[in-house]
Amino acid sequence: MAQVLDKPVRLKAPVSPAERTARRRSLLEWVAIHSLGVAAALFFVLPFVFVFLTSLMSDTQALSRDLIPHTWEWSNYKKVFDTPGFLTWWKNTLIYAGLGTVLTVVSSIPVAYALAKFRFRGRSLSLMLVISMMMLPPQVIIIPMYLFWAKQLDLSGTLWPLIIPMAFGDAFSIFLLRQFLMTIPNEYIDAAKVDGCGDFRTLLKVVLPMAKPGIAAVGLFQFFYAWNDYFGPQIYASENPGAWTLSYGLESFKGAHHTDWNLTMAATVLVMAPVILVFFFAQKAFVEGVTLTGVKG
Amino acid sequence: MSTVTLASKRRKQALRTAAFMSPWLIGFAVFFAYPLISTVYFSFMHYDGFKPPTWSGTKNWTYVFEHYPFFWPALRNTLWLVLVMVTLRVLFGLGVGLLITKIKTGTGVFRTLFYLPYLAPPVAATMAFAFLLNPGTGPVNSILEKVGIPAPGWFNDPTWSKPALTLLALWGIGDLMVIFMAALLDVPQEQYEAAELDGASAWQRFRYVTLPNISPIVMFAVVTGVIQTMQYYTQPLIAGKVASGVIQGAGTQFEPGYPEKSTLTLPQLVYNLGFQRFDYGSACVVALVLFALSMVFTAFLMRRRGGLNLAGD
């Protein structure tokens, strides 16, 4: 009896040799692909890990070739916050990114709506110009723009030359929103018209609630654009440390803490962290934005 | 309907369109058309920002093309970056996109990990890489030396500085991965099944089914990659500054393109000429070269046939 029970119980039909090699091959394929995946994941993640580990090293160890901290110096982060100016950079970045995002979204929505749903002469020309604006390197027009803001309006040393233009629509945001609004069926808009809604009310009451994911994507991209912007603050704010943003200040931080890689990396972590945190809460909107437009131009 | 009401309806519609478009119409005039025309104007003027501008004919143009020592190296670097960095980014992005569509376990985790570096602010990412690839104490060279591979000088060596920038660009592949992934998932499954029935190998399936289906996206990635390269500014600038150990402050001068002009790009020249040398006229010449190059590629991107139909109507 015992001998019989020890034998494996076969529940499925016998596996043919051909099927067995096929199974073995798919298992091998699974292992190969996931090993490749892990290797790629290491390439993408290890830089973050090394930066974080160095941010916790002591001053002397940061100058050595060690990879893992001997003592975990969490006080490095406090030191970064205590650096004069660091909190001001945060405040300025939040103003630039926050105010800029609100202005961009509010001013880009009607334009995107017109480009997506109105029929008018010059529509495709307008769209082509929007795409051209999107592709234009900011350096092409920076000389007249700087002279305009700094010499004529005397606004250099502030972030206003970067924020004010955002009240007049942003080419990338218009394009992204337009791509999104194209996917909303016209029937909803027609139905609202039949119910007696004007254009403005239709946009506000019918289209906007349906466009929430698109608006979220635009808002996020614009927020990150301002957060990451280095060139703009360098041109307009460099002369006044009171107007520096995190991206601009971070580089000068490295200059002031010439040899302190640990503090520099702690500051780097602090500049990266909010972006990554926001991403975890809004992954879907982000990925949608990238697929709709291909790229942040 | 009488002609009178039709005309008034048309007028009403035109007004409505103008009202909705007005933010952009103003933005276009003030922040695009006017500065673009002014850039052309200033390119023929001598202007230092203090004395009123004076006519200088083609002096700025001959200065930039014949005497400004940074122009040709910057253009050569751009060419290098277009050929090597853009090509590798597209190939690597496609590879990672393919990989992510094949991964069956933990897809979400892998996708998030592959995507994260794309979000890292350019200044922070470049500082991180300047540290990671630091020849003296950087972890990458520490590991390379432990394994017995001769460690390069990365951002401190003119032959390795552009490869180091390329590595940084490959790290931030997340955007391309996402668009390639979307394109790959859109390839009709029946075509793969038909190819498999015909006995096509994995490579043949990729070559004759996948590639033709995703070629518009590959094209899009190449052209937008080239346009991005025309705008490449923050990463090479920060890498050069950190590697040269410059201490930033008001009035400090920094050797553009450190080491040995190897990380110079055209946008950096606009800054150097305009905001460090206060030669606004010559800066506008470089700006116009940059404009011409990016518009050529933008036109290519918007071409109806062969390119990608971005307008989508």
mmCIF file of all heavy atoms in Angstrom, chain B residues 263-277:
data_model
loop_
_atom_site.group_PDB
_atom_site.id
_atom_site.type_symbol
_atom_site.label_atom_id
_atom_site.label_comp_id
_atom_site.label_asym_id
_atom_site.label_seq_id
_atom_site.Cartn_x
_atom_site.Cartn_y
_atom_site.Cartn_z
ATOM 1 N N THR B 263 32.277 69.602 -24.506
ATOM 2 C CA THR B 263 30.851 69.530 -24.145
ATOM 3 C C THR B 263 30.082 70.774 -24.588
ATOM 4 O O THR B 263 28.996 71.047 -24.102
ATOM 5 C CB THR B 263 30.672 69.352 -22.617
ATOM 6 O OG1 THR B 263 31.335 70.426 -21.955
ATOM 7 C CG2 THR B 263 31.231 68.042 -22.136
ATOM 8 N N LEU B 264 30.676 71.526 -25.539
ATOM 9 C CA LEU B 264 29.984 72.719 -26.037
ATOM 10 C C LEU B 264 28.809 72.340 -26.908
ATOM 11 O O LEU B 264 28.896 71.424 -27.720
ATOM 12 C CB LEU B 264 30.940 73.520 -26.911
ATOM 13 C CG LEU B 264 31.769 74.626 -26.314
ATOM 14 C CD1 LEU B 264 32.490 75.335 -27.442
ATOM 15 C CD2 LEU B 264 30.915 75.612 -25.546
ATOM 16 N N THR B 265 27.693 73.050 -26.756
ATOM 17 C CA THR B 265 26.593 72.905 -27.704
ATOM 18 C C THR B 265 26.186 74.307 -28.144
ATOM 19 O O THR B 265 26.541 75.297 -27.493
ATOM 20 C CB THR B 265 25.372 72.207 -27.071
ATOM 21 O OG1 THR B 265 24.935 72.984 -25.951
ATOM 22 C CG2 THR B 265 25.710 70.799 -26.603
ATOM 23 N N LEU B 266 25.406 74.403 -29.222
ATOM 24 C CA LEU B 266 25.042 75.719 -29.757
ATOM 25 C C LEU B 266 24.303 76.595 -28.738
ATOM 26 O O LEU B 266 24.608 77.782 -28.612
ATOM 27 C CB LEU B 266 24.238 75.569 -31.042
ATOM 28 C CG LEU B 266 25.043 75.052 -32.251
ATOM 29 C CD1 LEU B 266 24.128 74.784 -33.434
ATOM 30 C CD2 LEU B 266 26.125 76.052 -32.655
ATOM 31 N N PRO B 267 23.305 76.064 -27.997
ATOM 32 C CA PRO B 267 22.632 76.942 -27.029
ATOM 33 C C PRO B 267 23.585 77.566 -26.011
ATOM 34 O O PRO B 267 23.383 78.706 -25.581
ATOM 35 C CB PRO B 267 21.640 76.005 -26.329
ATOM 36 C CG PRO B 267 21.371 74.943 -27.321
ATOM 37 C CD PRO B 267 22.660 74.745 -28.059
ATOM 38 N N GLN B 268 24.655 76.851 -25.649
ATOM 39 C CA GLN B 268 25.618 77.422 -24.707
ATOM 40 C C GLN B 268 26.309 78.652 -25.291
ATOM 41 O O GLN B 268 26.693 79.553 -24.569
ATOM 42 C CB GLN B 268 26.683 76.385 -24.339
ATOM 43 C CG GLN B 268 26.241 75.431 -23.258
ATOM 44 C CD GLN B 268 27.220 74.279 -23.113
ATOM 45 O OE1 GLN B 268 27.168 73.303 -23.855
ATOM 46 N NE2 GLN B 268 28.134 74.401 -22.184
ATOM 47 N N LEU B 269 26.482 78.670 -26.622
ATOM 48 C CA LEU B 269 27.156 79.807 -27.247
ATOM 49 C C LEU B 269 26.304 81.060 -27.162
ATOM 50 O O LEU B 269 26.825 82.159 -27.010
ATOM 51 C CB LEU B 269 27.467 79.508 -28.715
ATOM 52 C CG LEU B 269 28.319 78.276 -29.007
ATOM 53 C CD1 LEU B 269 28.749 78.295 -30.459
ATOM 54 C CD2 LEU B 269 29.529 78.229 -28.096
ATOM 55 N N VAL B 270 24.977 80.890 -27.278
ATOM 56 C CA VAL B 270 24.090 82.050 -27.165
ATOM 57 C C VAL B 270 24.299 82.674 -25.787
ATOM 58 O O VAL B 270 24.422 83.893 -25.647
ATOM 59 C CB VAL B 270 22.611 81.650 -27.365
ATOM 60 C CG1 VAL B 270 21.710 82.858 -27.206
ATOM 61 C CG2 VAL B 270 22.401 81.014 -28.732
ATOM 62 N N TYR B 271 24.379 81.818 -24.765
ATOM 63 C CA TYR B 271 24.591 82.330 -23.409
ATOM 64 C C TYR B 271 25.958 82.976 -23.285
ATOM 65 O O TYR B 271 26.099 84.082 -22.750
ATOM 66 C CB TYR B 271 24.446 81.195 -22.387
ATOM 67 C CG TYR B 271 24.561 81.696 -20.973
ATOM 68 C CD1 TYR B 271 23.473 82.289 -20.340
ATOM 69 C CD2 TYR B 271 25.770 81.628 -20.287
ATOM 70 C CE1 TYR B 271 23.577 82.793 -19.060
ATOM 71 C CE2 TYR B 271 25.891 82.125 -19.001
ATOM 72 C CZ TYR B 271 24.789 82.699 -18.390
ATOM 73 O OH TYR B 271 24.897 83.209 -17.127
ATOM 74 N N ASN B 272 26.966 82.296 -23.790
ATOM 75 C CA ASN B 272 28.332 82.808 -23.672
ATOM 76 C C ASN B 272 28.485 84.172 -24.356
ATOM 77 O O ASN B 272 29.002 85.118 -23.764
ATOM 78 C CB ASN B 272 29.319 81.791 -24.264
ATOM 79 C CG ASN B 272 30.755 82.283 -24.229
ATOM 80 O OD1 ASN B 272 31.282 82.731 -25.241
ATOM 81 N ND2 ASN B 272 31.359 82.265 -23.050
ATOM 82 N N LEU B 273 27.993 84.264 -25.601
ATOM 83 C CA LEU B 273 28.132 85.519 -26.343
ATOM 84 C C LEU B 273 27.266 86.619 -25.748
ATOM 85 O O LEU B 273 27.702 87.755 -25.598
ATOM 86 C CB LEU B 273 27.750 85.296 -27.808
ATOM 87 C CG LEU B 273 28.797 84.610 -28.683
ATOM 88 C CD1 LEU B 273 28.179 84.177 -30.003
ATOM 89 C CD2 LEU B 273 29.971 85.554 -28.926
ATOM 90 N N GLY B 274 26.026 86.284 -25.410
ATOM 91 C CA GLY B 274 25.091 87.316 -24.976
ATOM 92 C C GLY B 274 25.294 87.728 -23.530
ATOM 93 O O GLY B 274 25.349 88.922 -23.223
ATOM 94 N N PHE B 275 25.424 86.755 -22.642
ATOM 95 C CA PHE B 275 25.353 87.087 -21.223
ATOM 96 C C PHE B 275 26.688 87.062 -20.508
ATOM 97 O O PHE B 275 26.780 87.424 -19.351
ATOM 98 C CB PHE B 275 24.336 86.164 -20.542
ATOM 99 C CG PHE B 275 22.959 86.316 -21.140
ATOM 100 C CD1 PHE B 275 22.515 85.463 -22.136
ATOM 101 C CD2 PHE B 275 22.126 87.350 -20.735
ATOM 102 C CE1 PHE B 275 21.263 85.633 -22.710
ATOM 103 C CE2 PHE B 275 20.873 87.522 -21.297
ATOM 104 C CZ PHE B 275 20.441 86.662 -22.285
ATOM 105 N N GLN B 276 27.730 86.587 -21.179
ATOM 106 C CA GLN B 276 29.056 86.671 -20.575
ATOM 107 C C GLN B 276 29.921 87.700 -21.290
ATOM 108 O O GLN B 276 30.714 88.389 -20.686
ATOM 109 C CB GLN B 276 29.724 85.293 -20.580
ATOM 110 C CG GLN B 276 29.056 84.340 -19.586
ATOM 111 C CD GLN B 276 29.693 82.973 -19.568
ATOM 112 O OE1 GLN B 276 29.784 82.316 -20.599
ATOM 113 N NE2 GLN B 276 30.141 82.544 -18.401
ATOM 114 N N ARG B 277 29.777 87.790 -22.632
ATOM 115 C CA ARG B 277 30.582 88.746 -23.390
ATOM 116 C C ARG B 277 29.804 89.993 -23.772
ATOM 117 O O ARG B 277 30.370 90.908 -24.352
ATOM 118 C CB ARG B 277 31.101 88.072 -24.656
ATOM 119 C CG ARG B 277 32.028 86.925 -24.352
ATOM 120 C CD ARG B 277 32.323 86.146 -25.616
ATOM 121 N NE ARG B 277 33.210 85.033 -25.281
ATOM 122 C CZ ARG B 277 34.372 84.822 -25.872
ATOM 123 N NH1 ARG B 277 34.783 85.610 -26.832
ATOM 124 N NH2 ARG B 277 35.122 83.808 -25.499
#
